[in-house]
Amino acid sequence: MNKSIRNLIFTWSIILLSIVLTIIPLPDLINSFRLPWLMMTVIYFSIFNVALIGVLSAWLSGLILDLMAGGLMGENAMILSIISYLSYRFRFQIRVYPIWQIMVVVLLFLSLGEVLSLWIQGVSGTMNLSVIAWINISIAVIIWPIFMGFIQKMESVFLE
Amino acid sequence: MPLNPQQRINRFEKNYSAYRLIIVIILSSVLMYQDYQGTYTVKLRSYLSASLYPIQYLINLPNNLKKSLYANFLNKEEIIAQNQELKEENLNLKSQMQQIYRLESENKRLYELFNSKPKAENTYLFADIVSTSKILNKHQIIINRGSRDGIKLGSSIVNAEGIVGHVIRDQIFASEVLLISDLEHAIPIEIVRTGLRSIAIGTGEFNKLRINTLPINSDIKKEDIIITSGLGGRYPEGFPVGTIKEISREVGNPFLEVEILPFANLKTINEVWVIQTNE
């Protein structure tokens, strides 16, 4: 199969998988604890495998999430494209960091995403500050090494 | 032929160019503004959502399948017991219905006496829940009826217990419903005992609504029943909303803080009715 087509299919399956993980029905007990999977995926690709994704695909994936989750159309799209651009800009520095420093950077990006989202909510009417969103971000940072390992494994299986 | 380093960087730069970012930010700002205002992008959004409906449906398939399978695997005794219960309930409801016919005709006669027109009659449409919103603090559900089945924006949704919410977005094959407990939702209400009118606001919690516009000397008691007042034209008149759970007076605050417990269990809704007023 053509390499670029294979890349495209691989990238969008991972993106769709993370969207599905974000909106899949879960038991009540853990329903609130939904990690920002799509943002994590976009950050990973924009730092470690820049050929697979760009600002436009980040925007498109965010738009799909907005439509399916029932938010304001364009909210996640804008946040994801900004995060993707920033991660790309700093990718050379981030790539050589040890894993704990990468986790700190991911924490910063995810927090920036949450702050932007709060800002958009504030402008459009109802801002709700909740602790759970920040707990989700910290869980996402803690499992980041596992997440990264998983996608790297996937890449080694499907791309080479 | 191997690329030289300059070309290799350029190839990625194009995907991440600042121009693209700026264009995308402007585009999403326009989209967000229009979506918030609800003017030009309503149609666009409903078509885009409709194209994503198959994915939405597939994601929720296991959950919905579980529900229908559960119905199939009930054993015989349970079904018989359930049937018996339903029969009794049906008989009960039917005897109450007889009263309603009488009341309805009486009502019509009185309207004629006053020389005014009776209110528009409603049509009911049955719908199932496809999914509930997973985003924190967003109380929305998706039902499996859309504009294809004749559902209009703003139609109210009720279940067996009471008012649930109203349709805010159309997805052609489905529609998105905002629940009355959402932070952005307000519903015009009336207290049955006194006829006092007010507005109940969602709190972001499934079992709580709030009234904060009643002055402290209002005649209001715990466990008063609350119905929709029909003002504002969105919700039809006289549907049950909830009961008053708590009334608190704060020193220095000229208004009461009233908590309402909705009749409908908003967390576990399964099937609903869409009410449309015929004009």
Side-chain angles (χ1 to χ4, degrees):
Chain A
M1 208 196 297
N2 193 339
K3 201 183 167 207
S4 65
I5 293 179
R6 195 165 49 169
N7 283 357
L8 204 68
I9 293 174
F10 173 77
T11 319
W12 279 94
S13 341
I14 295 278
I15 286 176
L16 270 186
L17 184 69
S18 39
I19 291 176
V20 166
L21 273 178
T22 316
I23 60 170
I24 202 167
L26 288 177
D28 267 355
L29 195 65
I30 51 171
N31 197 13
S32 310
F33 298 99
R34 287 171 185 277
L35 307 188
W37 293 110
L38 186 59
M39 207 181 282
M40 288 160 77
T41 311
V42 166
I43 291 173
Y44 174 82
F45 281 137
S46 306
I47 294 173
F48 295 99
N49 212 336
V50 289
L52 291 183
I53 189 180
V55 169
L56 280 185
S57 22
W59 184 78
L60 202 62
S61 61
L63 194 67
I64 293 175
L65 181 62
D66 282 331
L67 288 170
M68 295 186 66
L72 211 55
M73 187 163 60
E75 179 184 340
N76 277 309
M78 186 169 107
I79 294 168
L80 282 172
S81 52
I82 291 172
I83 297 279
S84 144
Y85 182 77
L86 285 178
S87 338
Y88 173 78
R89 279 288 139 195
F90 296 110
R91 70 191 187 285
F92 289 128
Q93 292 146 47
I94 301 168
R95 274 182 199 168
V96 294
Y97 283 160
I99 187 73
W100 68 268
Q101 253 172 323
I102 294 180
M103 283 159 74
V104 172
V105 172
V106 168
L107 174 67
L108 284 179
F109 283 144
L110 292 179
S111 313
L112 177 67
E114 178 61 24
V115 169
L116 280 174
S117 149
L118 283 176
W119 175 63
I120 292 170
Q121 280 172 23
V123 171
S124 67
T126 50
M127 178 164 69
N128 31 59
L129 284 163
S130 71
V131 190
I132 293 177
W134 295 99
I135 295 175
N136 286 348
I137 287 178
S138 9
I139 298 174
V141 171
I142 291 166
I143 67 154
W144 177 262
I146 305 169
F147 173 78
M148 213 168 108
F150 172 74
I151 295 198
Q152 274 167 351
K153 182 81 188 160
M154 286 288 142
E155 277 173 350
S156 66
V157 170
F158 290 107
L159 290 187
E160 284 313 313
Chain B
M1 194 183 83
L3 296 166
N4 68 42
Q6 192 55 45
Q7 272 176 313
R8 190 168 293 176
I9 285 172
N10 278 343
R11 206 180 66 204
F12 301 143
E13 284 285 327
K14 210 180 80 198
N15 274 347
Y16 288 91
S17 75
Y19 297 116
R20 283 195 184 184
L21 181 68
I22 291 168
I23 291 169
V24 152
I25 287 178
I26 292 172
L27 192 62
S28 23
S29 309
V30 171
L31 273 183
M32 275 189 280
Y33 181 72
Q34 289 301 340
D35 201 30
Y36 179 61
Q37 297 278 326
T39 44
Y40 300 111
T41 50
V42 175
K43 267 268 144 64
L44 175 75
R45 180 164 186 153
S46 65
Y47 284 120
L48 287 177
S49 304
S51 62
L52 291 172
Y53 183 66
I55 306 178
Q56 186 83 263
Y57 185 80
L58 277 182
I59 291 173
N60 290 288
L61 192 64
N63 222 20
N64 297 339
L65 214 61
K66 201 177 74 190
K67 264 185 235 155
S68 54
L69 276 182
Y70 172 74
N72 282 339
F73 282 116
L74 278 175
N75 60 33
K76 206 174 167 190
E77 285 89 54
E78 274 179 77
I79 290 176
I80 290 171
Q82 230 174 43
N83 199 1
Q84 197 61 39
E85 252 174 59
L86 287 175
K87 264 182 191 157
E88 275 167 28
E89 201 182 319
N90 198 11
L91 204 69
N92 216 339
L93 289 174
K94 267 187 180 160
S95 60
Q96 283 175 26
M97 267 303 267
Q98 291 167 1
Q99 285 277 307
I100 283 173
Y101 288 135
R102 199 178 65 82
L103 287 174
E104 204 170 359
S105 65
E106 190 180 307
N107 209 357
K108 241 178 211 165
R109 240 188 3 255
L110 286 173
Y111 267 117
E112 274 163 21
L113 218 60
F114 281 129
N115 236 347
S116 71
K117 245 167 59 182
K119 280 162 205 98
E121 276 180 23
N122 302 324
T123 49
Y124 295 78
L125 197 67
F126 186 73
D128 259 324
I129 306 282
V130 178
S131 80
T132 53
S133 175
K134 306 306 175 313
I135 304 300
L136 211 59
N137 286 329
K138 258 214 170 79
H139 292 190
Q140 287 179 12
I141 54 174
I142 296 178
I143 57 171
N144 66 351
R145 302 282 177 147
S147 57
R148 201 186 50 159
D149 309 290
I151 287 184
K152 295 182 206 106
L153 286 184
S155 311
S156 351
I157 310 290
V158 295
N159 71 355
E161 283 98 33
I163 284 273
V164 169
H166 73 271
V167 174
I168 51 164
R169 282 189 210 109
D170 172 39
Q171 296 190 357
I172 300 172
F173 307 104
S175 20
E176 291 173 43
V177 175
L178 190 70
L179 300 184
I180 49 173
S181 57
D182 189 275
L183 269 170
E184 292 183 28
H185 194 280
I187 176 169
I189 49 112
E190 183 181 320
I191 293 157
V192 176
R193 189 170 56 85
T194 56
L196 192 66
R197 292 200 192 92
S198 185
I199 287 173
I201 308 163
T203 56
E205 285 171 51
F206 283 105
N207 54 0
K208 207 203 272 180
L209 303 180
R210 194 159 56 94
I211 308 178
N212 54 6
T213 51
L214 288 177
I216 40 172
N217 58 358
S218 349
D219 178 15
I220 179 172
K221 269 192 246 161
K222 251 190 198 180
E223 288 173 9
D224 272 354
I225 290 185
I226 285 174
I227 57 171
T228 52
S229 72
L231 296 181
R234 173 134 299 170
Y235 286 100
E237 192 186 334
F239 279 89
V241 176
T243 53
I244 292 180
K245 197 166 72 176
E246 213 175 297
I247 306 165
S248 54
R249 294 180 171 80
E250 272 175 44
V251 184
N253 188 354
F255 297 104
L256 289 172
E257 281 287 333
V258 183
E259 263 180 37
I260 301 174
L261 178 73
F263 283 129
N265 190 352
L266 299 170
K267 211 167 183 178
T268 54
I269 320 162
N270 278 325
E271 51 273 310
V272 292
W273 296 93
V274 185
I275 304 178
Q276 307 209 75
T277 41
N278 299 331
E279 280 144 23

